[in-house]
Amino acid sequence: MHVVEQTLTRADVESAIAQGTPTFEHCDLDGADLSRLDLRGAAFVNCSVAETSFYAAKLTHTTWQRCRGRQADFESADATDAQFHGCDLNNSSWRRARLASALLKGCKLTGANFEEAAHLGLAFEDCLLVGADMRRMSFRKATLVQLDFADADLAGCDFRDTLFHGGSLRNANLKGARFDNADLREADLGGLKLSDIKLFQGALISLRQAAEVLAEMGLRVG
């Protein structure tokens, strides 16, 4: 079922589902209540889902390409094995969502809330996570490519044995985070406080980063 360039309500989406696994292209679903719908395997291409509710919806194996979804609500949704590419999902909510083996690549997730999300195998790549709530998420042994965590809440996150390819931790809340054996040489560590330094015991940073951290604390390196 291929639906193109339509403004859709919940009833329209239910009708499309009844006719087979749907593909929605250039559709407007802004503000629609799609909570608890079974959308497994559906595709969303260049769609607008701003403030749309996918609360507790079944979204396994869905694909999302270049969608716009500010303040979209994915709370408690099952998005296992879902893939999001080039989507604008700023201030979206993923609280208690199931995101096992999901992929978010090239996405804008500024202010997104991932509180208590089930995230085993979840992968982010080249994403803006500025100011996002990522508390207690595990990135252990992951390779993180261009993830901007500036001002994000990373309290209790596990970054042990993690390799950072670029990205930023500038001014992030790192309370209780772990970085044992993490390779941070390509990451932006600006804004670190003296109280944060002990969190990086065992991590690998460059001489340039060490000098920058000391400079921010008012120390000069001769």
Side-chain angles (χ1 to χ4, degrees), residues 170-184:
R170 180 173 289 272
N171 296 319
N173 175 21
L174 301 174
K175 183 178 180 179
R178 298 190 62 178
F179 290 91
D180 313 48
N181 299 313
D183 187 339
L184 297 158

Side-chain angles (χ1 to χ4, degrees), residues 48-211:
S48 185
V49 292
E51 300 183 25
T52 301
S53 174
F54 295 96
Y55 176 83
K58 296 178 181 178
L59 303 175
T60 56
H61 297 285
T62 52
T63 57
W64 308 70
Q65 298 180 29
R66 300 177 300 280
C67 292
R68 304 169 303 285
R70 60 174 176 77
Q71 295 183 320
D73 183 10
F74 294 93
E75 182 172 348
S76 298
D78 185 355
T80 301
D81 290 307
Q83 295 202 11
F84 297 80
H85 295 268
C87 295
D88 183 344
L89 298 166
N90 288 332
N91 298 305
S92 53
S93 175
W94 305 80
R95 293 181 68 250
R96 301 188 181 91
R98 293 187 288 280
L99 298 171
S101 300
L103 171 66
L104 293 105
K105 183 175 182 178
C107 293
K108 297 178 180 178
L109 293 155
T110 294
N113 185 351
F114 290 91
E115 183 182 359
E116 297 183 17
H119 58 275
L120 181 64
L122 169 63
F124 296 95
E125 184 177 334
D126 192 20
C127 287
L128 286 177
L129 291 154
V130 176
D133 186 343
M134 315 288 289
R135 285 175 290 173
R136 293 179 293 280
M137 293 189 77
S138 176
F139 299 92
R140 189 173 185 183
K141 296 185 177 180
T143 297
L144 303 183
V145 179
Q146 295 297 341
L147 299 188
D148 189 345
F149 290 116
D151 298 306
D153 191 345
L154 303 176
C157 284
D158 188 351
F159 291 102
R160 288 177 292 173
D161 303 296
T162 298
L163 174 61
F164 284 76
H165 279 304
S168 175
L169 293 168
R170 180 173 289 272
N171 296 319
N173 175 21
L174 301 174
K175 183 178 180 179
R178 298 190 62 178
F179 290 91
D180 313 48
N181 299 313
D183 187 339
L184 297 158
R185 288 176 293 179
E186 295 184 19
D188 178 358
L189 303 180
L192 285 182
K193 303 177 182 64
L194 184 61
S195 58
D196 294 327
I197 295 301
K198 62 180 181 296
L199 300 173
F200 292 91
Q201 291 180 356
L204 178 62
I205 65 173
S206 68
L207 292 174
R208 174 188 57 79
Q209 287 172 312

Side-chain angles (χ1 to χ4, degrees), residues 8 28-34 48-53:
L8 302 173
D28 183 347
L29 299 112
D30 288 350
D33 178 9
L34 306 183
S48 185
V49 292
E51 300 183 25
T52 301
S53 174

